[in-house]
Short mmCIF file of all heavy atoms in Angstrom, two decimals:
data_model
loop_
_atom_site.label_atom_id
_atom_site.label_comp_id
_atom_site.label_asym_id
_atom_site.label_seq_id
_atom_site.Cartn_x
_atom_site.Cartn_y
_atom_site.Cartn_z
N ASP F 1 -7.68 1.49 -3.20
CA ASP F 1 -8.58 2.03 -4.20
C ASP F 1 -9.69 2.86 -3.58
O ASP F 1 -9.98 3.96 -3.97
CB ASP F 1 -9.15 0.92 -5.06
CG ASP F 1 -9.94 1.45 -6.26
OD1 ASP F 1 -9.31 2.11 -7.14
OD2 ASP F 1 -11.15 1.26 -6.29
N GLN F 2 -10.32 2.28 -2.55
CA GLN F 2 -11.47 2.97 -1.92
C GLN F 2 -11.01 4.20 -1.14
O GLN F 2 -11.73 5.21 -1.15
CB GLN F 2 -12.22 2.00 -1.01
CG GLN F 2 -12.95 0.89 -1.76
CD GLN F 2 -13.86 1.46 -2.81
OE1 GLN F 2 -14.72 2.28 -2.53
NE2 GLN F 2 -13.71 0.98 -4.03
N PHE F 3 -9.84 4.09 -0.54
CA PHE F 3 -9.34 5.28 0.24
C PHE F 3 -8.98 6.41 -0.76
O PHE F 3 -9.22 7.56 -0.50
CB PHE F 3 -8.10 4.86 1.08
CG PHE F 3 -7.63 5.99 1.97
CD1 PHE F 3 -8.48 6.46 3.00
CD2 PHE F 3 -6.40 6.52 1.82
CE1 PHE F 3 -8.01 7.50 3.80
CE2 PHE F 3 -5.94 7.56 2.64
CZ PHE F 3 -6.80 8.03 3.65
N ALA F 4 -8.40 6.03 -1.89
CA ALA F 4 -8.05 7.01 -2.92
C ALA F 4 -9.31 7.70 -3.43
O ALA F 4 -9.35 8.92 -3.55
CB ALA F 4 -7.33 6.33 -4.08
N ASN F 5 -10.37 6.92 -3.65
CA ASN F 5 -11.66 7.53 -4.08
C ASN F 5 -12.25 8.43 -3.00
O ASN F 5 -12.81 9.48 -3.33
CB ASN F 5 -12.65 6.42 -4.45
CG ASN F 5 -12.32 5.74 -5.77
OD1 ASN F 5 -11.70 6.32 -6.64
ND2 ASN F 5 -12.73 4.49 -5.88
N PHE F 6 -12.15 8.02 -1.78
CA PHE F 6 -12.64 8.84 -0.67
C PHE F 6 -11.95 10.19 -0.63
O PHE F 6 -12.58 11.25 -0.54
CB PHE F 6 -12.47 8.09 0.63
CG PHE F 6 -12.76 8.96 1.85
CD1 PHE F 6 -14.09 9.22 2.20
CD2 PHE F 6 -11.74 9.48 2.62
CE1 PHE F 6 -14.40 10.01 3.33
CE2 PHE F 6 -12.04 10.26 3.71
CZ PHE F 6 -13.34 10.56 4.08
N VAL F 7 -10.61 10.14 -0.75
CA VAL F 7 -9.84 11.39 -0.72
C VAL F 7 -10.14 12.23 -1.96
O VAL F 7 -10.27 13.49 -1.87
CB VAL F 7 -8.35 11.08 -0.60
CG1 VAL F 7 -7.53 12.37 -0.71
CG2 VAL F 7 -8.03 10.38 0.71
N LYS F 8 -10.26 11.60 -3.13
CA LYS F 8 -10.53 12.37 -4.34
C LYS F 8 -11.80 13.20 -4.20
O LYS F 8 -11.82 14.38 -4.57
CB LYS F 8 -10.68 11.40 -5.54
CG LYS F 8 -9.41 10.87 -6.08
CD LYS F 8 -9.68 9.86 -7.19
CE LYS F 8 -8.40 9.23 -7.69
NZ LYS F 8 -8.63 8.18 -8.73
N TYR F 9 -12.86 12.60 -3.67
CA TYR F 9 -14.17 13.26 -3.60
C TYR F 9 -14.28 14.15 -2.32
O TYR F 9 -15.27 14.83 -2.15
CB TYR F 9 -15.29 12.30 -3.71
CG TYR F 9 -15.44 11.73 -5.12
CD1 TYR F 9 -14.86 10.53 -5.46
CD2 TYR F 9 -16.09 12.50 -6.08
CE1 TYR F 9 -14.99 10.05 -6.78
CE2 TYR F 9 -16.17 12.05 -7.37
CZ TYR F 9 -15.64 10.82 -7.71
OH TYR F 9 -15.75 10.37 -9.04
N SER F 10 -13.25 14.06 -1.47
CA SER F 10 -13.19 14.95 -0.32
C SER F 10 -12.40 16.24 -0.67
O SER F 10 -12.79 17.33 -0.32
CB SER F 10 -12.53 14.27 0.87
OG SER F 10 -13.25 13.14 1.31
N VAL F 11 -11.29 16.03 -1.42
CA VAL F 11 -10.44 17.19 -1.79
C VAL F 11 -10.96 17.88 -3.00
O VAL F 11 -10.90 19.13 -3.13
CB VAL F 11 -8.99 16.66 -2.04
CG1 VAL F 11 -8.11 17.82 -2.55
CG2 VAL F 11 -8.40 16.07 -0.77
N CYS F 12 -11.51 17.07 -3.97
CA CYS F 12 -12.09 17.63 -5.22
C CYS F 12 -11.09 18.45 -6.05
O CYS F 12 -11.41 19.58 -6.50
CB CYS F 12 -13.34 18.50 -4.91
SG CYS F 12 -14.71 17.52 -4.19
N ARG F 13 -9.89 17.94 -6.19
CA ARG F 13 -8.90 18.64 -7.02
C ARG F 13 -9.01 18.07 -8.46
O ARG F 13 -8.82 16.89 -8.69
CB ARG F 13 -7.49 18.34 -6.52
CG ARG F 13 -6.41 19.07 -7.31
CD ARG F 13 -5.03 18.57 -6.96
NE ARG F 13 -3.97 19.43 -7.49
CZ ARG F 13 -2.69 19.13 -7.45
NH1 ARG F 13 -2.28 17.95 -6.90
NH2 ARG F 13 -1.79 19.93 -7.94
N PRO F 14 -9.38 18.91 -9.42
CA PRO F 14 -9.55 18.44 -10.81
C PRO F 14 -8.26 17.82 -11.38
O PRO F 14 -7.18 18.25 -11.04
CB PRO F 14 -9.97 19.66 -11.58
CG PRO F 14 -10.53 20.60 -10.56
CD PRO F 14 -9.74 20.33 -9.33
N ARG F 15 -8.39 16.85 -12.22
CA ARG F 15 -7.26 16.29 -12.94
C ARG F 15 -6.65 17.35 -13.82
O ARG F 15 -7.34 18.29 -14.25
CB ARG F 15 -7.68 15.10 -13.79
CG ARG F 15 -8.28 13.92 -13.00
CD ARG F 15 -8.72 12.80 -14.00
NE ARG F 15 -9.42 11.72 -13.30
CZ ARG F 15 -8.80 10.71 -12.70
NH1 ARG F 15 -7.45 10.61 -12.73
NH2 ARG F 15 -9.49 9.73 -12.11
N PRO F 16 -5.36 17.23 -14.10
CA PRO F 16 -4.74 18.21 -15.02
C PRO F 16 -5.39 18.30 -16.38
O PRO F 16 -5.46 19.38 -16.96
CB PRO F 16 -3.26 17.74 -15.11
CG PRO F 16 -3.25 16.33 -14.54
CD PRO F 16 -4.37 16.29 -13.60
N CYS F 17 -5.92 17.15 -16.89
CA CYS F 17 -6.59 17.14 -18.19
C CYS F 17 -7.92 17.87 -18.13
O CYS F 17 -8.57 18.11 -19.18
CB CYS F 17 -6.77 15.75 -18.71
SG CYS F 17 -7.72 14.66 -17.64
N CYS F 18 -8.40 18.20 -16.94
CA CYS F 18 -9.62 18.98 -16.77
C CYS F 18 -9.39 20.44 -16.42
O CYS F 18 -10.34 21.18 -16.17
CB CYS F 18 -10.49 18.32 -15.63
SG CYS F 18 -10.99 16.62 -15.94
N ASP F 19 -8.11 20.80 -16.37
CA ASP F 19 -7.70 22.15 -16.01
C ASP F 19 -7.33 22.94 -17.27
O ASP F 19 -6.35 22.58 -17.98
CB ASP F 19 -6.51 22.09 -15.08
CG ASP F 19 -6.11 23.42 -14.51
OD1 ASP F 19 -6.23 24.44 -15.22
OD2 ASP F 19 -5.58 23.46 -13.35
N THR F 20 -8.11 23.94 -17.61
CA THR F 20 -7.86 24.71 -18.83
C THR F 20 -6.50 25.36 -18.84
O THR F 20 -5.89 25.50 -19.92
CB THR F 20 -8.98 25.76 -19.04
OG1 THR F 20 -9.04 26.57 -17.87
CG2 THR F 20 -10.32 25.10 -19.30
N ASP F 21 -6.02 25.80 -17.65
CA ASP F 21 -4.71 26.40 -17.62
C ASP F 21 -3.59 25.43 -17.98
O ASP F 21 -2.66 25.78 -18.67
CB ASP F 21 -4.44 26.94 -16.22
CG ASP F 21 -5.30 28.19 -15.88
OD1 ASP F 21 -5.72 28.83 -16.85
OD2 ASP F 21 -5.50 28.47 -14.72
N MET F 22 -3.76 24.14 -17.49
CA MET F 22 -2.76 23.14 -17.85
C MET F 22 -2.80 22.80 -19.32
O MET F 22 -1.78 22.63 -19.96
CB MET F 22 -3.01 21.90 -17.00
CG MET F 22 -2.69 22.06 -15.53
SD MET F 22 -0.92 22.30 -15.19
CE MET F 22 -0.29 20.63 -15.44
N LEU F 23 -3.99 22.70 -19.87
CA LEU F 23 -4.14 22.41 -21.29
C LEU F 23 -3.59 23.57 -22.14
O LEU F 23 -2.91 23.27 -23.15
CB LEU F 23 -5.61 22.18 -21.64
CG LEU F 23 -6.25 20.92 -21.02
CD1 LEU F 23 -7.77 20.93 -21.21
CD2 LEU F 23 -5.66 19.66 -21.61
N PHE F 24 -3.84 24.76 -21.71
CA PHE F 24 -3.30 25.96 -22.41
C PHE F 24 -1.80 25.98 -22.36
O PHE F 24 -1.09 26.46 -23.32
CB PHE F 24 -3.87 27.22 -21.85
CG PHE F 24 -3.47 28.47 -22.57
CD1 PHE F 24 -4.03 28.82 -23.78
CD2 PHE F 24 -2.47 29.29 -22.02
CE1 PHE F 24 -3.62 29.97 -24.44
CE2 PHE F 24 -2.06 30.45 -22.70
CZ PHE F 24 -2.63 30.77 -23.91
N ALA F 25 -1.20 25.46 -21.26
CA ALA F 25 0.26 25.44 -21.09
C ALA F 25 0.89 24.29 -21.88
O ALA F 25 2.10 24.20 -21.88
CB ALA F 25 0.60 25.31 -19.60
N GLY F 26 0.10 23.50 -22.56
CA GLY F 26 0.68 22.46 -23.45
C GLY F 26 0.52 21.04 -22.91
O GLY F 26 1.21 20.14 -23.44
N LEU F 27 -0.29 20.80 -21.89
CA LEU F 27 -0.44 19.46 -21.39
C LEU F 27 -0.90 18.50 -22.49
O LEU F 27 -1.84 18.77 -23.25
CB LEU F 27 -1.49 19.40 -20.25
CG LEU F 27 -1.71 18.06 -19.58
CD1 LEU F 27 -0.62 17.80 -18.57
CD2 LEU F 27 -3.07 18.01 -18.91
N ASN F 28 -0.28 17.34 -22.58
CA ASN F 28 -0.63 16.31 -23.54
C ASN F 28 -1.63 15.38 -22.88
O ASN F 28 -1.26 14.57 -22.03
CB ASN F 28 0.63 15.54 -23.95
CG ASN F 28 0.30 14.48 -24.97
OD1 ASN F 28 -0.47 14.69 -25.93
ND2 ASN F 28 0.89 13.28 -24.84
N ALA F 29 -2.92 15.51 -23.20
CA ALA F 29 -3.98 14.69 -22.59
C ALA F 29 -4.34 13.52 -23.52
O ALA F 29 -4.99 13.79 -24.56
CB ALA F 29 -5.18 15.58 -22.24
N LEU F 30 -3.99 12.33 -23.12
CA LEU F 30 -4.26 11.18 -23.98
C LEU F 30 -5.58 10.56 -23.71
O LEU F 30 -6.07 9.75 -24.54
CB LEU F 30 -3.16 10.12 -23.73
CG LEU F 30 -1.73 10.54 -24.04
CD1 LEU F 30 -0.74 9.41 -23.77
CD2 LEU F 30 -1.59 10.98 -25.52
N PHE F 31 -6.25 10.92 -22.59
CA PHE F 31 -7.57 10.43 -22.32
C PHE F 31 -8.45 11.63 -22.04
O PHE F 31 -8.72 11.95 -20.87
CB PHE F 31 -7.58 9.48 -21.08
CG PHE F 31 -6.81 8.24 -21.26
CD1 PHE F 31 -5.71 7.97 -20.46
CD2 PHE F 31 -7.16 7.30 -22.23
CE1 PHE F 31 -4.99 6.80 -20.63
CE2 PHE F 31 -6.43 6.13 -22.37
CZ PHE F 31 -5.35 5.89 -21.57
N PRO F 32 -8.87 12.35 -23.06
CA PRO F 32 -9.71 13.56 -22.86
C PRO F 32 -10.98 13.29 -22.02
O PRO F 32 -11.62 12.26 -22.22
CB PRO F 32 -10.09 13.96 -24.33
CG PRO F 32 -9.06 13.34 -25.16
CD PRO F 32 -8.72 12.06 -24.46
N GLN F 33 -11.22 14.19 -21.12
CA GLN F 33 -12.37 14.06 -20.21
C GLN F 33 -13.52 14.94 -20.66
O GLN F 33 -13.35 16.12 -20.93
CB GLN F 33 -11.97 14.43 -18.76
CG GLN F 33 -10.81 13.59 -18.20
CD GLN F 33 -11.20 12.17 -17.86
OE1 GLN F 33 -11.95 11.98 -16.91
NE2 GLN F 33 -10.71 11.26 -18.64
N LYS F 34 -14.72 14.32 -20.77
CA LYS F 34 -15.91 15.07 -21.18
C LYS F 34 -16.45 15.87 -20.00
O LYS F 34 -17.08 16.91 -20.19
CB LYS F 34 -16.97 14.13 -21.74
CG LYS F 34 -16.53 13.43 -23.05
CD LYS F 34 -17.63 12.57 -23.59
CE LYS F 34 -17.21 11.89 -24.92
NZ LYS F 34 -18.22 11.00 -25.45
N THR F 35 -16.28 15.35 -18.81
CA THR F 35 -16.72 16.06 -17.63
C THR F 35 -15.56 16.16 -16.63
O THR F 35 -14.56 15.43 -16.73
CB THR F 35 -17.90 15.34 -16.90
OG1 THR F 35 -17.47 13.98 -16.61
CG2 THR F 35 -19.08 15.26 -17.86
N VAL F 36 -15.64 17.07 -15.70
CA VAL F 36 -14.60 17.26 -14.70
C VAL F 36 -14.55 16.05 -13.76
O VAL F 36 -15.63 15.61 -13.22
CB VAL F 36 -14.78 18.54 -13.89
CG1 VAL F 36 -13.77 18.65 -12.77
CG2 VAL F 36 -14.75 19.77 -14.81
N SER F 37 -13.37 15.48 -13.58
CA SER F 37 -13.16 14.42 -12.60
C SER F 37 -12.00 14.74 -11.74
O SER F 37 -11.17 15.63 -12.11
CB SER F 37 -12.99 13.07 -13.28
OG SER F 37 -11.86 13.06 -14.11
N TYR F 38 -11.87 14.07 -10.60
CA TYR F 38 -10.88 14.48 -9.63
C TYR F 38 -9.71 13.48 -9.57
O TYR F 38 -9.89 12.29 -9.85
CB TYR F 38 -11.54 14.59 -8.25
CG TYR F 38 -12.74 15.52 -8.24
CD1 TYR F 38 -14.01 15.08 -7.84
CD2 TYR F 38 -12.60 16.82 -8.68
CE1 TYR F 38 -15.08 15.95 -7.87
CE2 TYR F 38 -13.66 17.68 -8.71
CZ TYR F 38 -14.93 17.27 -8.32
OH TYR F 38 -16.00 18.09 -8.36
N GLY F 39 -8.55 13.98 -9.20
CA GLY F 39 -7.35 13.18 -9.32
C GLY F 39 -6.46 13.07 -8.11
O GLY F 39 -5.44 12.34 -8.13
#
């Protein structure tokens, strides 16, 4: 868990539900994010 968190905040790749291109392409986001988080 901690290593995953370390890599998330080192790489800073947004989750698909935070990516407007993915949402526009039809991504089904079951847990909408109010702010950008990393995945």
Side-chain angles (χ1 to χ4, degrees):
D1 188 66
Q2 292 306 306
F3 187 63
N5 286 334
F6 171 77
V7 174
K8 283 177 185 177
Y9 288 97
S10 298
V11 176
C12 296
R13 183 192 193 189
R15 298 179 186 274
C17 60
C18 299
D19 187 326
T20 54
D21 289 337
M22 291 292 286
L23 292 170
F24 184 76
L27 182 81
N28 182 43
L30 298 180
F31 297 117
Q33 301 287 289
K34 295 181 179 179
T35 58
V36 174
S37 60
Y38 306 123

